[in-house]
Amino acid sequence: MKRLLITSLVALAASVAAQSPCEAKCNQQASDCLKACAGDPKDASKPDQAKRLMECLKTCEAQVRPCREGCRK
């Protein structure tokens, strides 16, 4: 789970390089949401924590999707 979160954050950071102001706003929203998901790294190996993290990541994705779709229009 920790690896998934790190991979998501790295992908987000890589996409920041060349982006429109609209995309930058969406990426900032995603980043803020993902930071809230991270929690305490010591708890990452707990089964209930892993489930919570995955749900949080899905929620972040759903929250940012309309913003990103709006940028593509």
Side-chain angles (χ1 to χ4, degrees):
M1 286 302 127
K2 185 176 176 184
R3 186 173 287 153
L4 175 63
L5 180 60
I6 291 170
T7 302
S8 296
L9 291 173
V10 169
L12 178 63
S15 70
V16 171
Q19 60 186 354
S20 71
C22 183
E23 291 169 329
K25 180 185 79 163
C26 297
N27 286 339
Q28 184 60 50
Q29 288 177 358
S31 176
D32 293 344
C33 189
L34 289 171
K35 287 176 188 173
C37 290
D40 189 350
K42 295 178 210 172
D43 295 335
S45 63
K46 296 179 181 176
D48 61 323
Q49 192 69 4
K51 182 179 178 183
R52 187 194 67 78
L53 177 60
M54 289 305 297
E55 289 299 318
C56 189
L57 292 174
K58 288 177 186 177
T59 300
C60 290
E61 182 180 333
Q63 287 176 356
V64 176
R65 186 177 300 124
C67 182
R68 290 194 173 143
E69 289 172 355
C71 291
R72 293 183 190 127
K73 291 181 181 178

